Amino acid sequence: MVFIGICGASGSGKTTLANELCSAIGASSALINQDAYYLDHPNLTFEERTRLNYDEPYIFDHDLLYNDVRLLMAGQEVARKAYDFSEHRRAESHEIIRPADVLILEGIHAFFDERLTDLMFLKLYINVEPDICLLRRINRDILERGRQIENITEQYLTTVKPMYQKYIRNYVHDADVIVTRGGKNARIVDILAGYLRDELNKPEA
């Protein structure tokens, strides 16, 4: 199994790049979204949950994510995790992730846990202008997550931008490849897919 990490700012196109790679590689692939591994807070009220910082690295259940990756790399199935962004709570999922030739993890803090980065064969960082990321985030949060523009603006100013400046932009130094122009950069997708196919076709030592 080849394990790939994709990191970058919120709205940079991480999920898009992951899906484009899965389609282009031509081998079996599995995708894990780090967003599904937010810590659950059942004892907090909805209002209290809305005030949490969902852009800082410690909001994620890194141990659960690491364990799932290790199980998949060991050839075992895991239950796909899910998250309800409208309620800020873990959600039920009956889907199973099966081991594949290529495993991709994407998330804003995909490079935070050194246990995971040590397992990654390839680390990709998507470098997109922050204002472009903000516009994409607004469209996504309104259309897919039922958010209001006032809430999106407040969250961007209080957590998204500060956490990008403190953590996320620095992950570029951990990357093997820097991807520009977002997840639909067809040329880089073709190059990466060809490289990965060659790696998968190498005879085992």
Side-chain angles (χ1 to χ4, degrees), residues 48-64:
E48 289 171 331
R49 294 197 299 271
T50 62
R51 292 195 292 269
L52 294 174
N53 184 347
Y54 290 94
D55 294 276
E56 63 102 4
Y58 300 100
I59 197 71
F60 295 99
D61 191 337
H62 294 285
D63 289 338
L64 180 61

mmCIF file with all atom_site columns, all heavy atoms in Angstrom, residues 48-64:
data_model
loop_
_atom_site.group_PDB
_atom_site.id
_atom_site.type_symbol
_atom_site.label_atom_id
_atom_site.label_alt_id
_atom_site.label_comp_id
_atom_site.label_asym_id
_atom_site.label_entity_id
_atom_site.label_seq_id
_atom_site.pdbx_PDB_ins_code
_atom_site.Cartn_x
_atom_site.Cartn_y
_atom_site.Cartn_z
_atom_site.occupancy
_atom_site.B_iso_or_equiv
_atom_site.pdbx_formal_charge
_atom_site.auth_seq_id
_atom_site.auth_comp_id
_atom_site.auth_asym_id
_atom_site.auth_atom_id
_atom_site.pdbx_PDB_model_num
ATOM 1   N N   . GLU A 1 48 ? -22.358 25.938 22.780 1.00 0.00 ? 48 GLU A N   1
ATOM 2   C CA  . GLU A 1 48 ? -20.987 25.745 23.228 1.00 0.00 ? 48 GLU A CA  1
ATOM 3   C C   . GLU A 1 48 ? -20.141 25.085 22.145 1.00 0.00 ? 48 GLU A C   1
ATOM 4   O O   . GLU A 1 48 ? -18.962 25.433 21.971 1.00 0.00 ? 48 GLU A O   1
ATOM 5   C CB  . GLU A 1 48 ? -20.973 24.895 24.499 1.00 0.00 ? 48 GLU A CB  1
ATOM 6   C CG  . GLU A 1 48 ? -21.498 25.631 25.723 1.00 0.00 ? 48 GLU A CG  1
ATOM 7   C CD  . GLU A 1 48 ? -21.683 24.713 26.921 1.00 0.00 ? 48 GLU A CD  1
ATOM 8   O OE1 . GLU A 1 48 ? -21.939 23.496 26.710 1.00 0.00 ? 48 GLU A OE1 1
ATOM 9   O OE2 . GLU A 1 48 ? -21.579 25.196 28.068 1.00 0.00 ? 48 GLU A OE2 1
ATOM 10  N N   . ARG A 1 49 ? -20.729 24.155 21.419 1.00 0.00 ? 49 ARG A N   1
ATOM 11  C CA  . ARG A 1 49 ? -19.981 23.487 20.335 1.00 0.00 ? 49 ARG A CA  1
ATOM 12  C C   . ARG A 1 49 ? -19.642 24.459 19.211 1.00 0.00 ? 49 ARG A C   1
ATOM 13  O O   . ARG A 1 49 ? -18.585 24.355 18.596 1.00 0.00 ? 49 ARG A O   1
ATOM 14  C CB  . ARG A 1 49 ? -20.767 22.294 19.802 1.00 0.00 ? 49 ARG A CB  1
ATOM 15  C CG  . ARG A 1 49 ? -20.948 21.163 20.796 1.00 0.00 ? 49 ARG A CG  1
ATOM 16  C CD  . ARG A 1 49 ? -21.367 19.863 20.124 1.00 0.00 ? 49 ARG A CD  1
ATOM 17  N NE  . ARG A 1 49 ? -22.642 19.963 19.416 1.00 0.00 ? 49 ARG A NE  1
ATOM 18  C CZ  . ARG A 1 49 ? -23.826 19.744 19.956 1.00 0.00 ? 49 ARG A CZ  1
ATOM 19  N NH1 . ARG A 1 49 ? -23.912 19.440 21.260 1.00 0.00 ? 49 ARG A NH1 1
ATOM 20  N NH2 . ARG A 1 49 ? -24.932 19.831 19.239 1.00 0.00 ? 49 ARG A NH2 1
ATOM 21  N N   . THR A 1 50 ? -20.550 25.410 18.943 1.00 0.00 ? 50 THR A N   1
ATOM 22  C CA  . THR A 1 50 ? -20.274 26.365 17.868 1.00 0.00 ? 50 THR A CA  1
ATOM 23  C C   . THR A 1 50 ? -19.109 27.286 18.201 1.00 0.00 ? 50 THR A C   1
ATOM 24  O O   . THR A 1 50 ? -18.498 27.859 17.291 1.00 0.00 ? 50 THR A O   1
ATOM 25  C CB  . THR A 1 50 ? -21.513 27.232 17.561 1.00 0.00 ? 50 THR A CB  1
ATOM 26  O OG1 . THR A 1 50 ? -21.861 28.003 18.724 1.00 0.00 ? 50 THR A OG1 1
ATOM 27  C CG2 . THR A 1 50 ? -22.691 26.372 17.149 1.00 0.00 ? 50 THR A CG2 1
ATOM 28  N N   . ARG A 1 51 ? -18.805 27.409 19.483 1.00 0.00 ? 51 ARG A N   1
ATOM 29  C CA  . ARG A 1 51 ? -17.723 28.311 19.891 1.00 0.00 ? 51 ARG A CA  1
ATOM 30  C C   . ARG A 1 51 ? -16.361 27.631 19.961 1.00 0.00 ? 51 ARG A C   1
ATOM 31  O O   . ARG A 1 51 ? -15.352 28.275 20.251 1.00 0.00 ? 51 ARG A O   1
ATOM 32  C CB  . ARG A 1 51 ? -18.063 28.950 21.247 1.00 0.00 ? 51 ARG A CB  1
ATOM 33  C CG  . ARG A 1 51 ? -19.242 29.913 21.181 1.00 0.00 ? 51 ARG A CG  1
ATOM 34  C CD  . ARG A 1 51 ? -19.301 30.783 22.429 1.00 0.00 ? 51 ARG A CD  1
ATOM 35  N NE  . ARG A 1 51 ? -19.640 30.008 23.615 1.00 0.00 ? 51 ARG A NE  1
ATOM 36  C CZ  . ARG A 1 51 ? -20.871 29.810 24.066 1.00 0.00 ? 51 ARG A CZ  1
ATOM 37  N NH1 . ARG A 1 51 ? -21.899 30.327 23.413 1.00 0.00 ? 51 ARG A NH1 1
ATOM 38  N NH2 . ARG A 1 51 ? -21.089 29.110 25.162 1.00 0.00 ? 51 ARG A NH2 1
ATOM 39  N N   . LEU A 1 52 ? -16.313 26.335 19.693 1.00 0.00 ? 52 LEU A N   1
ATOM 40  C CA  . LEU A 1 52 ? -15.032 25.636 19.691 1.00 0.00 ? 52 LEU A CA  1
ATOM 41  C C   . LEU A 1 52 ? -14.196 26.049 18.480 1.00 0.00 ? 52 LEU A C   1
ATOM 42  O O   . LEU A 1 52 ? -14.727 26.458 17.452 1.00 0.00 ? 52 LEU A O   1
ATOM 43  C CB  . LEU A 1 52 ? -15.258 24.120 19.665 1.00 0.00 ? 52 LEU A CB  1
ATOM 44  C CG  . LEU A 1 52 ? -15.922 23.501 20.895 1.00 0.00 ? 52 LEU A CG  1
ATOM 45  C CD1 . LEU A 1 52 ? -16.206 22.025 20.654 1.00 0.00 ? 52 LEU A CD1 1
ATOM 46  C CD2 . LEU A 1 52 ? -15.050 23.674 22.130 1.00 0.00 ? 52 LEU A CD2 1
ATOM 47  N N   . ASN A 1 53 ? -12.899 25.919 18.608 1.00 0.00 ? 53 ASN A N   1
ATOM 48  C CA  . ASN A 1 53 ? -11.992 26.249 17.511 1.00 0.00 ? 53 ASN A CA  1
ATOM 49  C C   . ASN A 1 53 ? -11.778 24.993 16.658 1.00 0.00 ? 53 ASN A C   1
ATOM 50  O O   . ASN A 1 53 ? -10.986 24.117 17.018 1.00 0.00 ? 53 ASN A O   1
ATOM 51  C CB  . ASN A 1 53 ? -10.657 26.755 18.062 1.00 0.00 ? 53 ASN A CB  1
ATOM 52  C CG  . ASN A 1 53 ? -9.706  27.196 16.964 1.00 0.00 ? 53 ASN A CG  1
ATOM 53  O OD1 . ASN A 1 53 ? -9.913  26.915 15.788 1.00 0.00 ? 53 ASN A OD1 1
ATOM 54  N ND2 . ASN A 1 53 ? -8.651  27.885 17.352 1.00 0.00 ? 53 ASN A ND2 1
ATOM 55  N N   . TYR A 1 54 ? -12.473 24.927 15.525 1.00 0.00 ? 54 TYR A N   1
ATOM 56  C CA  . TYR A 1 54 ? -12.406 23.750 14.671 1.00 0.00 ? 54 TYR A CA  1
ATOM 57  C C   . TYR A 1 54 ? -11.248 23.800 13.679 1.00 0.00 ? 54 TYR A C   1
ATOM 58  O O   . TYR A 1 54 ? -11.154 22.939 12.798 1.00 0.00 ? 54 TYR A O   1
ATOM 59  C CB  . TYR A 1 54 ? -13.730 23.574 13.918 1.00 0.00 ? 54 TYR A CB  1
ATOM 60  C CG  . TYR A 1 54 ? -14.859 23.155 14.838 1.00 0.00 ? 54 TYR A CG  1
ATOM 61  C CD1 . TYR A 1 54 ? -15.706 24.097 15.409 1.00 0.00 ? 54 TYR A CD1 1
ATOM 62  C CD2 . TYR A 1 54 ? -15.056 21.810 15.157 1.00 0.00 ? 54 TYR A CD2 1
ATOM 63  C CE1 . TYR A 1 54 ? -16.720 23.720 16.273 1.00 0.00 ? 54 TYR A CE1 1
ATOM 64  C CE2 . TYR A 1 54 ? -16.071 21.417 16.017 1.00 0.00 ? 54 TYR A CE2 1
ATOM 65  C CZ  . TYR A 1 54 ? -16.899 22.380 16.569 1.00 0.00 ? 54 TYR A CZ  1
ATOM 66  O OH  . TYR A 1 54 ? -17.902 22.001 17.425 1.00 0.00 ? 54 TYR A OH  1
ATOM 67  N N   . ASP A 1 55 ? -10.382 24.777 13.827 1.00 0.00 ? 55 ASP A N   1
ATOM 68  C CA  . ASP A 1 55 ? -9.244  24.904 12.922 1.00 0.00 ? 55 ASP A CA  1
ATOM 69  C C   . ASP A 1 55 ? -7.906  24.692 13.609 1.00 0.00 ? 55 ASP A C   1
ATOM 70  O O   . ASP A 1 55 ? -6.872  24.755 12.957 1.00 0.00 ? 55 ASP A O   1
ATOM 71  C CB  . ASP A 1 55 ? -9.270  26.284 12.252 1.00 0.00 ? 55 ASP A CB  1
ATOM 72  C CG  . ASP A 1 55 ? -10.470 26.454 11.335 1.00 0.00 ? 55 ASP A CG  1
ATOM 73  O OD1 . ASP A 1 55 ? -10.378 26.014 10.178 1.00 0.00 ? 55 ASP A OD1 1
ATOM 74  O OD2 . ASP A 1 55 ? -11.498 26.984 11.792 1.00 0.00 ? 55 ASP A OD2 1
ATOM 75  N N   . GLU A 1 56 ? -7.926  24.438 14.903 1.00 0.00 ? 56 GLU A N   1
ATOM 76  C CA  . GLU A 1 56 ? -6.665  24.162 15.593 1.00 0.00 ? 56 GLU A CA  1
ATOM 77  C C   . GLU A 1 56 ? -6.428  22.642 15.611 1.00 0.00 ? 56 GLU A C   1
ATOM 78  O O   . GLU A 1 56 ? -7.370  21.863 15.541 1.00 0.00 ? 56 GLU A O   1
ATOM 79  C CB  . GLU A 1 56 ? -6.679  24.760 17.008 1.00 0.00 ? 56 GLU A CB  1
ATOM 80  C CG  . GLU A 1 56 ? -7.729  24.192 17.930 1.00 0.00 ? 56 GLU A CG  1
ATOM 81  C CD  . GLU A 1 56 ? -7.113  23.205 18.899 1.00 0.00 ? 56 GLU A CD  1
ATOM 82  O OE1 . GLU A 1 56 ? -5.882  23.048 18.882 1.00 0.00 ? 56 GLU A OE1 1
ATOM 83  O OE2 . GLU A 1 56 ? -7.871  22.585 19.639 1.00 0.00 ? 56 GLU A OE2 1
ATOM 84  N N   . PRO A 1 57 ? -5.196  22.215 15.673 1.00 0.00 ? 57 PRO A N   1
ATOM 85  C CA  . PRO A 1 57 ? -4.894  20.791 15.483 1.00 0.00 ? 57 PRO A CA  1
ATOM 86  C C   . PRO A 1 57 ? -5.420  19.870 16.570 1.00 0.00 ? 57 PRO A C   1
ATOM 87  O O   . PRO A 1 57 ? -5.707  18.696 16.291 1.00 0.00 ? 57 PRO A O   1
ATOM 88  C CB  . PRO A 1 57 ? -3.361  20.757 15.431 1.00 0.00 ? 57 PRO A CB  1
ATOM 89  C CG  . PRO A 1 57 ? -2.909  22.025 16.067 1.00 0.00 ? 57 PRO A CG  1
ATOM 90  C CD  . PRO A 1 57 ? -3.965  23.036 15.781 1.00 0.00 ? 57 PRO A CD  1
ATOM 91  N N   . TYR A 1 58 ? -5.586  20.373 17.779 1.00 0.00 ? 58 TYR A N   1
ATOM 92  C CA  . TYR A 1 58 ? -5.971  19.487 18.875 1.00 0.00 ? 58 TYR A CA  1
ATOM 93  C C   . TYR A 1 58 ? -7.468  19.217 18.935 1.00 0.00 ? 58 TYR A C   1
ATOM 94  O O   . TYR A 1 58 ? -7.938  18.534 19.837 1.00 0.00 ? 58 TYR A O   1
ATOM 95  C CB  . TYR A 1 58 ? -5.478  20.078 20.204 1.00 0.00 ? 58 TYR A CB  1
ATOM 96  C CG  . TYR A 1 58 ? -3.981  20.244 20.217 1.00 0.00 ? 58 TYR A CG  1
ATOM 97  C CD1 . TYR A 1 58 ? -3.417  21.492 19.984 1.00 0.00 ? 58 TYR A CD1 1
ATOM 98  C CD2 . TYR A 1 58 ? -3.134  19.156 20.419 1.00 0.00 ? 58 TYR A CD2 1
ATOM 99  C CE1 . TYR A 1 58 ? -2.029  21.650 19.965 1.00 0.00 ? 58 TYR A CE1 1
ATOM 100 C CE2 . TYR A 1 58 ? -1.758  19.302 20.401 1.00 0.00 ? 58 TYR A CE2 1
ATOM 101 C CZ  . TYR A 1 58 ? -1.213  20.550 20.176 1.00 0.00 ? 58 TYR A CZ  1
ATOM 102 O OH  . TYR A 1 58 ? 0.146   20.707 20.144 1.00 0.00 ? 58 TYR A OH  1
ATOM 103 N N   . ILE A 1 59 ? -8.223  19.724 17.954 1.00 0.00 ? 59 ILE A N   1
ATOM 104 C CA  . ILE A 1 59 ? -9.661  19.466 17.876 1.00 0.00 ? 59 ILE A CA  1
ATOM 105 C C   . ILE A 1 59 ? -9.944  18.100 17.259 1.00 0.00 ? 59 ILE A C   1
ATOM 106 O O   . ILE A 1 59 ? -11.062 17.607 17.271 1.00 0.00 ? 59 ILE A O   1
ATOM 107 C CB  . ILE A 1 59 ? -10.359 20.584 17.063 1.00 0.00 ? 59 ILE A CB  1
ATOM 108 C CG1 . ILE A 1 59 ? -11.877 20.603 17.307 1.00 0.00 ? 59 ILE A CG1 1
ATOM 109 C CG2 . ILE A 1 59 ? -10.071 20.425 15.572 1.00 0.00 ? 59 ILE A CG2 1
ATOM 110 C CD1 . ILE A 1 59 ? -12.275 21.084 18.668 1.00 0.00 ? 59 ILE A CD1 1
ATOM 111 N N   . PHE A 1 60 ? -8.886  17.459 16.713 1.00 0.00 ? 60 PHE A N   1
ATOM 112 C CA  . PHE A 1 60 ? -9.038  16.168 16.050 1.00 0.00 ? 60 PHE A CA  1
ATOM 113 C C   . PHE A 1 60 ? -8.652  15.011 16.969 1.00 0.00 ? 60 PHE A C   1
ATOM 114 O O   . PHE A 1 60 ? -7.801  15.160 17.844 1.00 0.00 ? 60 PHE A O   1
ATOM 115 C CB  . PHE A 1 60 ? -8.175  16.103 14.783 1.00 0.00 ? 60 PHE A CB  1
ATOM 116 C CG  . PHE A 1 60 ? -8.589  17.058 13.712 1.00 0.00 ? 60 PHE A CG  1
ATOM 117 C CD1 . PHE A 1 60 ? -7.923  18.270 13.543 1.00 0.00 ? 60 PHE A CD1 1
ATOM 118 C CD2 . PHE A 1 60 ? -9.649  16.763 12.869 1.00 0.00 ? 60 PHE A CD2 1
ATOM 119 C CE1 . PHE A 1 60 ? -8.302  19.151 12.565 1.00 0.00 ? 60 PHE A CE1 1
ATOM 120 C CE2 . PHE A 1 60 ? -10.039 17.647 11.875 1.00 0.00 ? 60 PHE A CE2 1
ATOM 121 C CZ  . PHE A 1 60 ? -9.362  18.858 11.720 1.00 0.00 ? 60 PHE A CZ  1
ATOM 122 N N   . ASP A 1 61 ? -9.263  13.867 16.720 1.00 0.00 ? 61 ASP A N   1
ATOM 123 C CA  . ASP A 1 61 ? -8.916  12.636 17.434 1.00 0.00 ? 61 ASP A CA  1
ATOM 124 C C   . ASP A 1 61 ? -7.773  11.964 16.669 1.00 0.00 ? 61 ASP A C   1
ATOM 125 O O   . ASP A 1 61 ? -7.989  11.065 15.848 1.00 0.00 ? 61 ASP A O   1
ATOM 126 C CB  . ASP A 1 61 ? -10.139 11.719 17.528 1.00 0.00 ? 61 ASP A CB  1
ATOM 127 C CG  . ASP A 1 61 ? -9.920  10.553 18.481 1.00 0.00 ? 61 ASP A CG  1
ATOM 128 O OD1 . ASP A 1 61 ? -8.751  10.202 18.725 1.00 0.00 ? 61 ASP A OD1 1
ATOM 129 O OD2 . ASP A 1 61 ? -10.917 9.985  18.966 1.00 0.00 ? 61 ASP A OD2 1
ATOM 130 N N   . HIS A 1 62 ? -6.560  12.400 16.939 1.00 0.00 ? 62 HIS A N   1
ATOM 131 C CA  . HIS A 1 62 ? -5.404  11.912 16.185 1.00 0.00 ? 62 HIS A CA  1
ATOM 132 C C   . HIS A 1 62 ? -5.132  10.431 16.458 1.00 0.00 ? 62 HIS A C   1
ATOM 133 O O   . HIS A 1 62 ? -4.673  9.710  15.563 1.00 0.00 ? 62 HIS A O   1
ATOM 134 C CB  . HIS A 1 62 ? -4.167  12.746 16.528 1.00 0.00 ? 62 HIS A CB  1
ATOM 135 C CG  . HIS A 1 62 ? -4.268  14.171 16.081 1.00 0.00 ? 62 HIS A CG  1
ATOM 136 N ND1 . HIS A 1 62 ? -4.137  14.543 14.766 1.00 0.00 ? 62 HIS A ND1 1
ATOM 137 C CD2 . HIS A 1 62 ? -4.501  15.311 16.782 1.00 0.00 ? 62 HIS A CD2 1
ATOM 138 C CE1 . HIS A 1 62 ? -4.278  15.855 14.666 1.00 0.00 ? 62 HIS A CE1 1
ATOM 139 N NE2 . HIS A 1 62 ? -4.500  16.345 15.869 1.00 0.00 ? 62 HIS A NE2 1
ATOM 140 N N   . ASP A 1 63 ? -5.394  9.973  17.660 1.00 0.00 ? 63 ASP A N   1
ATOM 141 C CA  . ASP A 1 63 ? -5.165  8.560  17.969 1.00 0.00 ? 63 ASP A CA  1
ATOM 142 C C   . ASP A 1 63 ? -6.085  7.659  17.161 1.00 0.00 ? 63 ASP A C   1
ATOM 143 O O   . ASP A 1 63 ? -5.658  6.622  16.627 1.00 0.00 ? 63 ASP A O   1
ATOM 144 C CB  . ASP A 1 63 ? -5.370  8.301  19.466 1.00 0.00 ? 63 ASP A CB  1
ATOM 145 C CG  . ASP A 1 63 ? -4.266  8.897  20.323 1.00 0.00 ? 63 ASP A CG  1
ATOM 146 O OD1 . ASP A 1 63 ? -3.168  9.129  19.791 1.00 0.00 ? 63 ASP A OD1 1
ATOM 147 O OD2 . ASP A 1 63 ? -4.514  9.130  21.517 1.00 0.00 ? 63 ASP A OD2 1
ATOM 148 N N   . LEU A 1 64 ? -7.359  8.034  17.056 1.00 0.00 ? 64 LEU A N   1
ATOM 149 C CA  . LEU A 1 64 ? -8.312  7.238  16.277 1.00 0.00 ? 64 LEU A CA  1
ATOM 150 C C   . LEU A 1 64 ? -7.923  7.215  14.810 1.00 0.00 ? 64 LEU A C   1
ATOM 151 O O   . LEU A 1 64 ? -7.959  6.153  14.159 1.00 0.00 ? 64 LEU A O   1
ATOM 152 C CB  . LEU A 1 64 ? -9.719  7.814  16.450 1.00 0.00 ? 64 LEU A CB  1
ATOM 153 C CG  . LEU A 1 64 ? -10.841 7.094  15.694 1.00 0.00 ? 64 LEU A CG  1
ATOM 154 C CD1 . LEU A 1 64 ? -10.967 5.644  16.152 1.00 0.00 ? 64 LEU A CD1 1
ATOM 155 C CD2 . LEU A 1 64 ? -12.171 7.830  15.886 1.00 0.00 ? 64 LEU A CD2 1
#
